[in-house]
Amino acid sequence: FFLQELDNVWMHHRHTQHRGSMAYKLRQPPSEAWCRQGWATIMTDHYAMENWENPALIDSVCWSSDYPHTLGPWPNSRINIEGQMSRVPEPARRKFLNENVSRLFGVTR
């Protein structure tokens, strides 16, 4: 949702050259920069999982239980994962649950 909104604002203002406007200085949609260098964690985000094929998500989103904080899904983490990722193919699930965070922190097996 946020990447979509960033791109919408950029599309609307990209030719605006008034003082304080950064939109016209960006040569590409903000979501493209996010694909290269942005990261996000989710606990429950059905919108993201419904749009998992978006390149901005597939390589930059990591699932989190936020343990031990009380708003996180623990101790029902597996139920939470299945509830929102049931329609996400296994390769993408592996990225969200393991591979992305391993790449972000340089963890190898």
Side-chain angles (χ1 to χ4, degrees):
F1 166 78
F2 292 108
L3 295 175
Q4 178 181 313
E5 285 303 302
L6 284 172
D7 285 353
N8 286 341
V9 170
W10 177 79
M11 285 294 289
H12 184 74
H13 293 287
R14 71 185 184 280
H15 299 298
T16 302
Q17 296 190 22
H18 60 78
R19 185 189 305 247
S21 175
M22 292 297 294
Y24 75 93
K25 294 179 183 179
L26 297 176
R27 305 234 186 275
Q28 62 191 19
S31 63
E32 290 185 25
W34 176 266
C35 287
R36 284 193 320 276
Q37 57 198 69
W39 292 93
T41 59
I42 63 168
M43 288 185 288
T44 303
D45 189 337
H46 294 282
Y47 180 86
M49 293 301 100
E50 289 294 320
N51 295 281
W52 69 268
E53 294 182 62
N54 182 324
L57 297 174
I58 194 74
D59 290 323
S60 62
V61 169
C62 309
W63 181 86
S64 168
S65 70
D66 201 30
Y67 176 84
H69 298 114
T70 57
L71 291 178
W74 185 88
N76 299 308
S77 300
R78 292 177 189 267
I79 294 168
N80 174 280
I81 291 166
E82 189 55 36
Q84 65 180 321
M85 294 189 193
S86 62
R87 296 179 12 192
V88 176
E90 188 59 32
R93 266 189 189 207
R94 278 196 309 272
K95 284 189 171 216
F96 296 136
L97 297 171
N98 180 284
E99 294 171 5
N100 288 347
V101 73
S102 295
R103 186 168 44 87
L104 173 62
F105 290 108
V107 175
T108 58
R109 296 180 196 205

